[in-house]
Amino acid sequence: MTGKSIGDNRKVISYTTNTLNLMEIESFYLFTDGFIDQNDSDNIKFGTRRFRELLVELQGNSEVEQFSRLENEINNHRGKESQRDDVTVVGIINN
């Protein structure tokens, strides 16, 4: 995984092309940093490790269950704090 911004047009950025053999992969996720960077009332971010652990837990559940759990987790973490950024998670499940 290479994390690089795609929103900065002031400099030239080179990107790495990755090829996935979908026959060998159960699922994968594409996401923005909004979920990970969301703070709670104590200004603590959800965090990368916690987000990765959540995605691992979700594997094997239906798409509806995964969506519901992601939504509940971010809302419970955020509490009364406002949403700071866009939150996008796209899951590709190979059945």
Side-chain angles (χ1 to χ4, degrees), residues 9 19 49 54 65 78 85 88 91:
N9 62 1
T19 303
R49 182 184 325 170
L54 176 58
E65 291 169 325
R78 183 168 49 92
D85 199 358
T88 304

Side-chain angles (χ1 to χ4, degrees), residues 36 46-56:
I36 292 165
F46 193 88
T48 303
R49 182 184 325 170
R50 183 174 170 194
F51 183 64
R52 285 183 179 177
E53 289 171 354
L54 176 58
L55 292 180
V56 169

Side-chain angles (χ1 to χ4, degrees), residues 60-79:
N61 293 329
S62 74
E63 294 89 344
V64 172
E65 291 169 325
Q66 289 188 38
F67 174 80
S68 177
R69 179 80 186 279
L70 285 166
E71 188 175 45
N72 287 337
E73 288 288 333
I74 195 66
N75 287 338
N76 288 338
H77 175 76
R78 183 168 49 92

Side-chain angles (χ1 to χ4, degrees), residues 3 5 12 16 24 27 32 51 55 72 76 81:
S5 174
V12 176
T16 304
E24 298 174 358
S27 61
T32 62
F51 183 64
L55 292 180
N72 287 337
N76 288 338
E81 292 297 311

Side-chain angles (χ1 to χ4, degrees), residues 2-16 31-33 86:
T2 2
K4 291 188 181 179
S5 174
I6 60 172
D8 187 350
N9 62 1
R10 295 172 289 178
K11 58 185 174 183
V12 176
I13 302 172
S14 63
Y15 297 96
T16 304
F31 50 89
T32 62
D33 62 350
D86 66 293

